[in-house]
Amino acid sequence: MDCIIDPDIVLSLSPVLPICKQRILSGNFSFLPSNLTEPEKILHLSSIIPFDCPLMVCTLGGLLKFLDRRRIGIELEDSSVGVPVLSIKKYVITQSLPIFLFFFSVLHIFKSEAHPSVYKMCSGGKEGLSLFGLLNRCQCRWGENTMRLWLMRPTRNQEELTARLDVIEFFMAPHNQETTSNIQSCLKYIKNIPLILKRMTLSNTKVSDWQLLYKSVYSAVCIGEICRSLPQTVTLFSRISSAFSGDLHYIASIISKVVDFEESLREKRFCIKPQIDPTVDDKKRRLQGLSDFLTEVARKELETLDVQIPSCCIVYIPLIGFLLSIKRLPSMQDKKDFEIDGLDFMFLSGDRLHYRSARTRELDAVLGDLHCDIRDHETMIMHQLQTLILERSAVLQDVIDYIGQLDALLAMVVSAREYGYVRPCYTSNSIINIKEGRHPLMVFCSGTFVPNPTMIGEKERRIKILTGPNSCGKSVYLKQVGLIVFMAMIGSYVPASYAEIGPVDGIFTRLQTRESVSLGLSTFMIDLNQVARAVNNATRSSLILIDEFGKGTNTVDGLSLLAATLRHWIKQDSSCPYILLSTNFHSLIQLKILPESPIVHYQTFEWCLDGEELIFFYQLKDGVSEVSQAARVASMAGMPEEIIKRGVEVKY
Ligand SMILES: Nc1ncnc2c1ncn2[C@@H]1O[C@H](COP(=O)(O)OP(=O)(O)OP(=O)(O)O)[C@@H](O)[C@H]1O
């Protein structure tokens, strides 16, 4: 399988491993012959599931638990019935880039923060300053889900990446801006279709569900129409054009033909339009003409009543039927006063007395329970409509998939346009060539961000060693390169004036993290783990970003570890990964610990001293810096002068 298993993850899985294994062994696998004994069952399952792979076992165990909780497919069954698993199929994600969890936090790909509003504190977080937050201009939840998935799973599949970039390029053209906003306004109406479909299968659909489903389907039809008018050479447009047709049109037209939204909202239940069902039409017509007819009946009833009774009316109460309603007279005090000859007293409601008479009985017999009949009939039609929609619901899954992709790409268009990103070019040459690269997030934090180039490649040197005073911009630069390459691997435009990206099969980092508490490992141990992963797994096409490796231990040990690691890669010569490394170990260069090599390139950043003041230009240049300017940086950070002075005295 094309994946690298993170040792930290395996370690953290060990407590749940036996539970997951047990869950798998006791699963309801209907594909297994029923006459198998327990040992035979284990043997059979182990031929399908690699029990020696902790990640696989825990993932499958988690999936089975999820299915059991949601009771998918057996919602209405007894709770003792387990979800039947019909088959197990292996699915290998071949093209995705191995990325470790650290990467997402150190490069600020995702950053959830507690919500600042006090009343929302308990209800989860919000996205902070992160790449996801920056790119997520999605209009619907499906776009947001797709964007999240793409960020979690960058890919090497160039065909897929080019297809995404083609869509972005199309919408980036100024003359396509109107099309962009038209599609975006339709995307807003695509709602939670799977939830509505689930309610349909449970026959628990509300009027609002019908409205939302219709709006979603109608908007999808409009998007389909728009995509049909766009160049079909763009893969996504042609896929949408062919998918958003037949069944989708059918669902949209059948809902609009059958459902009477106005009446449904008024009646708070599913109502159908006229001319859908003659029986319902007939009953509704009778119900409409009923009020005049009932007034006439009431007039006749009044003629037969005591003269003291000034008025009466005929009312209809669902499930009870027609009743004669009379205003209670002051003389009618006790129940016996309510009795009237020829009428059966039914009940008192407010100040009105209700009776059943010969005429109301006749009305019941002739007109029947009109309301209930209509309701029953309409409910039956709703079930038929639901069945028709569910039979064709596969197209709605396609809608969600393609809408998610389109929305995520349009969101990328918005940020690319707003922040001046460019389309990256993918090349088969082993090269990373970025001109005027910018850190996509840091640009918002520093007044004027200084763009810098990156050139790592076949003829260019593959190991960049960055030195420079503290705070000169080394870490920001490393992250900037990592983020630009990462953005290219999700099919986004990138913050640069030009970017040529060769094959990249993984991004390894040794960057500052705040995870030592949660992992139970020391900071130095985390550093070592991260570098070990890079040493053990990186290939010629991997990008490695190392920021100040070795500083977490005694200087000599740290320096020697760093030098040994670099020597390991220098020996690989042109097969060496793309490496960007920043260090404050100036003795690495002063003591000439590293061998002379054409693949090593020393770079630093421009800065100068204005009197005692340290000024950073953040501009990358060739060369080495042999001073840290730590004392001046400490002064800028507000350290007391006497401490800084004493530090300088000790140094010399
Ligand atoms: N290209 C740039 N343009 C503008 N400002 C920048 C740039 N790069 C870095 N900075 C600013 O400089 C600050 C320090 O940068 P950074 O953390 O990269 O320094 P450093 O060299 O890694 O420092 P240290 O060696 O102490 O870790 C950043 O927080 C940012 O405000």
Side-chain angles (χ1 to χ4, degrees):
M1 203 167 93
D2 193 9
C3 91
I4 300 166
I5 297 173
D6 193 332
D8 298 339
I9 294 180
V10 174
L11 203 69
S12 64
L13 289 178
S14 49
V16 287
L17 192 62
I19 305 169
C20 292
K21 204 166 175 181
Q22 192 48 46
R23 190 176 286 277
I24 297 172
L25 294 178
S26 56
N28 179 6
F29 299 108
S30 48
F31 58 89
L32 290 181
S34 53
N35 53 356
L36 287 187
T37 61
E38 206 52 27
E40 282 170 344
K41 185 179 169 188
I42 296 173
L43 211 62
H44 195 116
L45 282 177
S46 57
S47 68
I48 312 167
I49 304 158
F51 280 102
D52 54 344
C53 175
L55 204 57
M56 182 76 91
V57 171
C58 289
T59 312
L60 187 56
L63 177 63
L64 290 177
K65 184 171 181 183
F66 173 84
L67 293 176
D68 258 348
R69 277 227 180 127
R70 302 280 169 116
R71 305 191 54 72
I72 294 167
I74 51 158
E75 294 92 342
L76 304 174
E77 304 278 340
D78 190 81
S79 60
S80 59
V81 179
V83 178
V85 177
L86 303 180
S87 68
I88 295 181
K89 287 184 186 156
K90 278 189 212 164
Y91 176 67
V92 184
I93 309 167
T94 45
Q95 297 279 6
S96 84
L97 228 58
I99 296 274
F100 295 101
L101 287 177
F102 285 130
F103 183 84
F104 294 113
S105 60
V106 291
L107 288 195
H108 290 250
I109 306 290
F110 299 105
K111 188 156 190 356
S112 61
E113 286 177 354
H115 203 284
S117 305
V118 177
Y119 72 96
K120 282 187 179 170
M121 288 294 259
C122 316
S123 62
K126 66 177 185 69
E127 192 65 29
L129 182 65
S130 67
L131 189 64
F132 176 66
L134 186 80
L135 297 179
N136 182 17
R137 310 293 191 83
C138 297
Q139 304 294 322
C140 68
R141 63 158 66 198
W142 311 114
E144 198 174 316
N145 290 353
T146 308
M147 173 83 80
R148 204 177 273 280
L149 194 73
W150 285 352
L151 286 171
M152 284 167 66
R153 237 187 251 165
T155 177
R156 280 181 280 167
N157 184 338
Q158 293 221 351
E159 211 178 303
E160 171 64 32
L161 292 173
T162 310
R164 290 181 198 171
L165 288 170
D166 286 346
V167 178
I168 300 180
E169 184 171 350
F170 176 84
F171 287 116
M172 286 291 281
H175 56 270
N176 289 326
Q177 196 145 2
E178 200 185 327
T179 317
T180 314
S181 14
N182 287 345
I183 296 181
Q184 279 180 323
S185 50
C186 291
L187 285 169
K188 282 191 191 123
Y189 295 104
I190 310 282
K191 301 292 175 191
N192 196 345
I193 300 176
L195 182 69
I196 300 173
L197 292 180
K198 188 173 176 202
R199 290 215 184 111
M200 276 191 178
T201 49
L202 299 174
S203 277
N204 184 22
T205 333
K206 300 181 198 138
V207 172
S208 57
D209 290 334
W210 285 104
Q211 273 186 311
L212 294 179
L213 181 65
Y214 179 62
K215 276 188 191 162
S216 304
V217 173
Y218 181 76
S219 307
V221 168
C222 294
I223 292 173
E225 292 302 325
I226 298 175
C227 286
R228 230 158 271 138
S229 67
L230 303 180
Q232 298 302 296
T233 43
V234 177
T235 324
L236 186 61
F237 299 156
S238 72
R239 283 188 187 156
I240 291 181
S241 304
S242 56
F244 290 23
S245 53
D247 284 353
L248 194 66
H249 282 121
Y250 176 81
I251 295 175
S253 72
I254 198 167
I255 296 177
S256 101
K257 206 169 114 190
V258 174
V259 187
D260 186 335
F261 288 110
E262 266 177 41
E263 200 188 333
S264 299
L265 282 174
R266 221 174 21 247
E267 296 281 319
K268 297 192 179 62
R269 64 178 181 83
F270 179 90
C271 296
I272 61 166
K273 283 186 174 165
Q275 291 173 15
I276 297 298
D277 186 288
T279 324
V280 175
D281 286 349
D282 179 49
K283 288 188 192 263
K284 281 189 176 172
R285 218 174 297 120
R286 281 158 71 188
L287 205 61
Q288 270 163 12
L290 207 57
S291 81
D292 290 347
F293 176 62
L294 293 182
T295 316
E296 181 56 25
V297 176
R299 200 185 53 75
K300 283 195 183 138
E301 289 280 18
L302 192 61
E303 283 171 10
T304 62
L305 292 174
D306 192 307
V307 286
Q308 284 184 1
I309 298 170
S311 65
C312 73
C313 64
I314 303 286
V315 294
Y316 172 79
I317 299 172
L319 298 173
I320 295 179
F322 293 93
L323 295 175
L324 179 65
S325 169
I326 297 169
K327 195 162 189 280
R328 184 181 180 177
L329 298 175
S331 59
M332 294 171 160
Q333 291 300 323
D334 293 333
K335 200 173 173 207
K336 64 177 173 23
D337 302 332
F338 299 160
E339 302 296 336
I340 298 174
D341 282 347
L343 301 181
D344 293 337
F345 173 68
M346 300 301 291
F347 59 88
L348 170 73
S349 165
D351 66 341
R352 295 199 75 88
L353 302 159
H354 295 84
Y355 298 88
R356 197 161 253 158
S357 70
R359 279 201 184 84
T360 60
R361 275 197 200 90
E362 205 180 316
L363 284 174
D364 284 342
V366 177
L367 296 173
D369 219 339
L370 268 183
H371 270 103
C372 287
D373 283 357
I374 294 172
R375 187 185 284 247
D376 289 351
H377 237 89
E378 288 187 319
T379 309
M380 194 184 74
I381 292 169
M382 182 182 86
H383 288 308
Q384 286 170 356
L385 184 62
Q386 281 179 177
T387 313
L388 286 175
I389 293 172
L390 288 172
E391 274 169 11
R392 292 162 194 250
S393 60
V395 69
L396 297 176
Q397 188 51 51
D398 287 346
V399 166
I400 289 166
D401 289 350
Y402 290 131
I403 287 295
Q405 293 180 31
L406 190 62
D407 194 15
L409 290 168
L410 283 175
M412 288 180 182
V413 170
V414 177
S415 18
R417 205 179 270 150
E418 204 165 306
Y419 309 124
Y421 294 171
V422 295
R423 179 178 177 144
C425 330
Y426 303 110
T427 162
S428 54
N429 302 331
S430 180
I431 190 172
I432 294 178
N433 180 8
I434 300 166
K435 292 186 182 145
E436 295 183 286
R438 307 183 297 278
H439 189 297
L441 304 173
M442 194 50 84
V443 287
F444 302 108
C445 306
S446 62
T448 338
F449 190 85
V450 180
N452 275 310
T454 306
M455 182 65 189
I456 312 179
E458 293 184 331
K459 293 196 188 77
E460 296 297 324
R461 287 161 281 186
R462 300 181 74 85
I463 301 180
K464 307 277 173 186
I465 299 181
L466 308 172
T467 51
N470 295 108
S471 292
C472 69
K474 301 182 292 293
S475 313
V476 168
Y477 178 71
L478 291 188
K479 291 177 183 174
Q480 164 184 316
V481 176
L483 278 166
I484 293 177
V485 172
F486 178 82
M487 287 171 80
M489 304 321 282
I490 60 164
S492 161
Y493 271 32
V494 297
S497 64
Y498 175 82
E500 191 182 355
I501 312 287
V504 175
D505 63 6
I507 305 178
F508 297 87
T509 55
R510 207 314 306 163
L511 297 166
Q512 222 68 50
T513 67
R514 283 177 289 162
E515 309 288 331
S516 62
V517 177
S518 61
L519 284 174
L521 298 172
S522 76
T523 315
F524 185 55
M525 193 61 186
I526 295 175
D527 291 1
L528 287 174
N529 273 342
Q530 294 180 350
V531 174
R533 253 172 246 145
V535 169
N536 294 329
N537 300 300
T539 70
R540 181 171 189 256
S541 300
S542 307
L543 172 65
I544 303 178
L545 307 171
I546 298 182
D547 193 13
E548 295 179 20
F549 171 55
K551 71 171 185 181
T553 186
N554 123 3
T555 313
V556 176
D557 292 351
L559 177 63
S560 40
L561 260 175
L562 172 65
T565 313
L566 278 170
R567 278 172 168 269
H568 164 80
W569 279 317
I570 292 171
K571 262 194 265 160
Q572 294 181 356
D573 199 39
S574 59
S575 302
C576 166
Y578 313 110
I579 299 173
L580 284 166
L581 176 140
S582 85
T583 183
N584 279 323
F585 286 139
H586 296 133
S587 5
L588 184 76
I589 298 137
Q590 286 158 354
L591 301 178
K592 296 197 170 36
I593 298 176
L594 294 181
E596 287 279 327
S597 165
I599 67 163
V600 180
H601 187 194
Y602 292 97
Q603 291 183 302
T604 182
F605 290 85
E606 296 263 16
W607 57 276
C608 76
L609 269 178
D610 182 13
E612 272 307 290
E613 201 188 341
L614 194 56
I615 298 174
F616 296 114
F617 298 116
Y618 306 113
Q619 192 67 63
L620 192 67
K621 64 170 188 179
D622 288 355
V624 287
S625 162
E626 296 188 354
V627 282
S628 78
Q629 298 293 350
R632 288 195 174 83
V633 177
S635 163
M636 283 158 68
M639 283 280 279
E641 276 311 313
E642 65 271 23
I643 296 183
I644 298 173
K645 225 166 115 195
R646 180 65 192 139
V648 174
E649 275 169 22
V650 171
K651 184 179 164 194
Y652 294 106

